[in-house]
């Protein structure tokens, strides 16, 4: 019975009508903004900042997040299933959530891994992307401390599976068997490089879509935050930036199962991982220059 009603509610014809209805209520909407990022990068803080503006609606990983079986389908090249899910469910929820706003922002690291091309086709010139980057050692250490790195059941549901056939940086045998690189921290570090490689690929595939670079480390930089809003063409009131730089970050410390590795240790591990990629003639994402020079 449930599957019958689910089919009645969630099908391409119902979705088309729903999208048309919600689109009629988006006359004032100027942009759909999505975050291209690894996660563990300050996305909740970014949402908090944008939600201080009356003309913005900002959401963090809203339903449907496009993880689990949808992420798995994308990772294994089942693009038709992902596209249908986006068209029937995701697109409707985005438009419904955007009603009443001039700017819709969704902080969702699944965007770049599952539905970026469909959103680009769907929203066209209204789509903008913020490429949010955090120090790879800090992202990897956060994931490591949570113990949900790629290769774990939870990590494969939310991050990426390093065994997946569509990976750009494909080194599963090394991450599984190498005496040093089988350490779980390296699986989290691989995830940063793989995600950045995917973002670089989509920037090239979607040349008409603006990708606006922003570093997590600049959340407390008033000039950089001001520049971000200028690039997104979102007007901000006087004094706004001074107020939002004091917003607290969301560290999720209570969820961590292990203590993070020492900074000196993770810095050396990053160097060794970069050397590994160089030895394998694997292209290294240019964003690493922001942290390694």
């Amino acid at each position: 019975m449930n599957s019958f009603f689910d089919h009645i509610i969630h099908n391409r014809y119902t979705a088309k009508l729903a999208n048309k209805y919600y689109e009629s209520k988006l006359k004032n909407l100027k942009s759909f903004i999505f975050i291209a990022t690894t996660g563990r990068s300050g996305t909740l803080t970014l949402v908090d900042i944008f939600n201080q503006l009356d003309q913005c609606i900002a959401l963090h990983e809203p339903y449907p997040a496009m993880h689990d079986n949808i992420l798995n389908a994308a990772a294994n090249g089942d693009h038709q299933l992902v596209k249908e899910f986006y068209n029937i469910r995701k697109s409707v929820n985005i438009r419904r959530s955007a009603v009443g706003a001039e700017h819709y922002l969704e902080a969702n690291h699944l965007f770049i891994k599952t539905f970026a091309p469909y959103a680009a086709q769907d929203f066209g010139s209204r789509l903008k992307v913020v490429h949010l980057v955090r120090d790879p050692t800090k992202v990897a250490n956060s994931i490591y401390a949570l113990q949900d790195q790629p290769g774990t059941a939870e990590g494969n549901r939310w991050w990426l599976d390093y065994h997946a056939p569509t990976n750009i940086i494909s080194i599963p045998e090394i991450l599984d068997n190498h005496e040093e690189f089988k350490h779980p921290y390296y699986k989290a570090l691989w995830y940063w490089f793989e995600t950045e490689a995917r973002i670089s690929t989509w920037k090239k595939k979607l040349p008409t879509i603006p990708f606006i670079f922003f570093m997590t480390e600049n959340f407390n930089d008033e000039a950089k935050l001001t520049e971000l809003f200028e690039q997104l063409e979102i007007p901000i009131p006087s004094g706004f930036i001074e107020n939002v730089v004091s917003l607290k970050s969301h560290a999720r410390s209570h969820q961590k199962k292990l203590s993070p590795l020492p900074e000196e240790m993770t810095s050396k591990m990053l160097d060794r991982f970069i050397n590994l990629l160089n030895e394998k003639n694997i292209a290294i994402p240019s964003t690493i220059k922001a942290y390694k020079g």
Side-chain angles (χ1 to χ4, degrees):
M1 185 66 72
N2 288 336
S3 60
F4 171 76
F5 283 111
D6 185 70
H7 177 72
I8 293 297
I9 296 170
H10 300 296
N11 63 72
R12 68 183 66 182
Y13 306 107
T14 304
K16 187 174 181 179
L17 288 172
N19 271 324
K20 188 174 182 179
Y21 169 75
Y22 290 120
E23 190 65 49
S24 71
K25 294 182 172 293
L26 298 178
K27 302 300 183 184
N28 295 324
L29 192 129
K30 298 175 181 177
S31 61
F32 290 95
I33 305 165
F34 291 88
I35 312 303
T37 189
T38 56
R40 308 308 304 141
S41 55
T43 48
L44 276 167
T45 300
L46 191 68
V47 165
D48 286 347
I49 290 172
F50 275 77
N51 274 330
Q52 305 303 308
L53 293 168
D54 291 338
Q55 69 269 40
C56 295
I57 288 176
L59 303 174
H60 185 261
E61 298 175 10
Y63 174 86
M66 305 285 281
H67 70 309
D68 209 354
N69 64 314
I70 300 302
L71 175 61
N72 183 262
N76 285 281
D78 189 353
H79 303 301
Q80 188 58 35
L81 187 152
V82 181
K83 183 178 181 179
E84 288 181 1
F85 190 90
Y86 173 84
N87 288 335
I88 293 173
R89 298 204 184 198
K90 185 64 175 177
S91 62
V92 175
N93 279 277
I94 291 171
R95 284 185 170 86
R96 179 190 295 123
S97 299
V99 171
E102 292 182 21
H103 305 278
Y104 170 89
L105 180 139
E106 180 172 324
N108 187 350
H109 59 84
L110 278 303
F111 165 74
I112 207 68
K113 293 177 278 192
T114 57
F115 65 97
Y118 315 121
Q121 184 178 27
D122 197 7
F123 302 126
S125 62
R126 292 182 294 175
L127 178 64
K128 296 179 181 180
V129 179
V130 174
H131 179 186
L132 179 64
V133 185
R134 186 187 182 195
D135 185 326
T137 62
K138 289 182 170 57
V139 171
N141 224 355
S142 179
I143 293 173
Y144 168 76
L146 292 168
Q147 283 293 281
D148 61 0
Q149 64 272 359
T152 64
E154 195 67 9
N156 289 354
R157 289 182 68 230
W158 284 99
W159 307 123
L160 285 170
D161 180 357
Y162 63 89
H163 292 101
T166 60
N167 290 330
I168 297 172
I169 300 176
S170 183
I171 52 171
E173 67 289 344
I174 295 175
L175 293 173
D176 278 335
N177 303 313
H178 190 280
E179 184 176 353
E180 176 178 6
F181 295 116
K182 67 182 180 182
H183 188 287
Y185 177 85
Y186 281 111
K187 296 173 176 63
L189 194 58
W190 164 86
Y191 168 73
W192 186 94
F193 280 83
E194 174 66 20
T195 303
E196 286 298 311
R198 293 183 182 213
I199 294 171
S200 178
T201 296
W202 281 115
K203 284 176 69 175
K204 294 174 183 176
K205 289 183 177 181
L206 302 172
T208 63
I209 304 299
F211 278 70
I212 299 163
F213 183 80
F214 190 82
M215 296 171 66
T216 302
E217 293 78 7
N218 289 331
F219 273 131
N220 293 321
D221 187 318
E222 294 182 13
K224 293 291 186 182
L225 266 178
T226 299
E227 183 181 359
L228 174 62
F229 282 98
E230 288 174 350
Q231 290 178 292
L232 290 170
E233 300 180 281
I234 300 177
I236 52 177
S238 176
F240 175 77
I241 296 298
E242 292 90 329
N243 291 330
V244 298
V245 293
S246 62
L247 288 173
K248 294 182 179 180
S249 63
H250 300 263
R252 284 172 62 186
S253 299
H254 64 289
Q255 296 181 4
K256 293 179 179 178
K257 298 178 180 178
L258 293 178
S259 297
L261 298 176
E263 185 174 338
E264 182 180 355
M265 180 179 179
T266 59
S267 179
K268 291 178 180 178
M269 293 172 86
L270 174 61
D271 288 338
R272 288 196 284 271
F273 192 73
I274 291 173
N275 289 337
L276 169 67
L277 297 183
N278 283 326
E279 290 171 5
K280 296 293 181 181
N281 294 315
I282 296 173
I284 296 173
S286 61
T287 44
I288 193 64
K289 294 178 182 177
Y291 300 98
K292 295 300 295 181

